[in-house]
Amino acid sequence: MRGRIVVSVCLLLAACGKAAPEQGPAPSAPQVRIAQVGGTPGVATVSGVGTVALRRETSLGFTSAGRIERLGVNEGDTVRRGQILAALDTTTVAADLTRATAERERARAEYARSDGLMKQGWITRPRLESARAALLAAEAQVRAAGFQRANATIAAPGPGTVLARLAEPGQVVAAGTPVLVIGEEASGYILRLPLSDRDVARLTLGAPARITLAALNDDVIVGRVIEIAGRADKATGTFAVEIALPDDKRLRSGQIGNATITASGVGATALAVPPSAVFGPRAGEALVYVVDLAASRVHLRKIHIGEANDEGIRVTSGIKPGEWVALSRVDRLTDGMKIAPLGPAQ
């Protein structure tokens, strides 16, 4: 019995004398692929789809109401300066002129008679002044009727093309109703395209643009921005931008063109990050992990983003050219986490 106790005590002492088991090696930092912002320089551009038009397209109408007697041009016709394009039935206008002329003669005779009576002392001066006012009013009516008679026709303001014929002979139109739309060839062709407020802010007058039109076999045309709308369209919220096009006999109003404009205004710097680096996008903002290469750690940062293109997602603020961002494992990283960078930074 005593021997068994001695053996047990020895075994217990031996067990207590064993060293504690060694712990395993600390977990290594995760390997994360990274990329440099702005590592590939490029030219910022703005793209859009627009419509070819003559820069000055004028709606023409009559200055008085009436029935159209003659409309001598059709859509697509070429016109010359001063050419008579349409005319009203002048029966009513001529009658108004005749009536106004007769009233003027009556008022003139009445004034002459009143002037003679005034000199003889038969009437007072207010009576003469009333006759003179009636004569002046009658002369004004003659001038107005003559103006209507002279403008019972529509003449071409300059050489151009009939873009639209909005009425037909025999139709009764009100004063000022558009009857024809004329495009003035001397104004030149433009490409008018709608752009968002963010894109317009990146453009300046004179910015070069490359345009392709399917109707011209996608030949590249070089133009420049000549006008940027001062306010947005109420219906679409976009700004109209006009690009002057070179003289080309193949151009026609209504052709569709694609434009790529070199940006040089606010936010024109070409900064883009790969889509895999961006997460949590919301209302023009998103998050990225910026890599501190010296410490091999990542830091969470909010950035402002624009549209996506072939180069990645455009960044408008929040990050600088030359900084590095994490591309992989972004869903497993945390702010301040140590990593093992993979990529060009190795």
Side-chain angles (χ1 to χ4, degrees), residues 174-268:
T177 301
V179 174
L180 295 168
V181 178
I182 303 297
E184 300 181 39
E185 292 181 354
S187 65
Y189 280 97
I190 60 170
L191 182 73
R192 185 179 291 114
L193 63 159
L195 294 176
S196 68
D197 54 352
R198 183 175 295 175
D199 285 338
V200 165
R202 303 167 61 203
L203 300 181
T204 57
L205 293 177
R210 294 168 58 86
I211 300 99
T212 59
L213 293 88
L216 274 59
N217 300 318
D218 288 327
D219 294 339
V220 176
I221 299 176
V222 178
R224 60 183 180 87
V225 176
I226 58 172
E227 185 173 325
I228 300 174
R231 61 176 297 177
D233 184 272
K234 293 182 178 180
T236 63
T238 58
F239 290 79
V241 174
E242 294 183 359
I243 301 173
L245 301 178
D247 187 20
D248 192 316
K249 298 300 182 183
R250 299 175 295 173
L251 292 175
R252 297 289 186 277
S253 288
Q255 293 172 335
I256 304 300
N258 295 279
T260 302
I261 311 170
T262 301
S264 56
V266 177

Side-chain angles (χ1 to χ4, degrees), residues 296-318:
S296 295
R297 294 184 182 276
V298 293
H299 299 284
L300 187 64
R301 187 184 297 178
K302 180 194 295 184
I303 61 173
H304 291 83
I305 59 175
E307 75 283 352
N309 52 41
D310 295 340
E311 298 177 357
I313 298 177
R314 187 168 64 88
V315 179
T316 58
S317 64

Side-chain angles (χ1 to χ4, degrees), residues 30-47:
Q31 293 182 333
V32 176
R33 290 187 297 106
I34 63 174
Q36 190 175 29
V37 177
T40 304
V43 178
T45 59
V46 172
S47 300

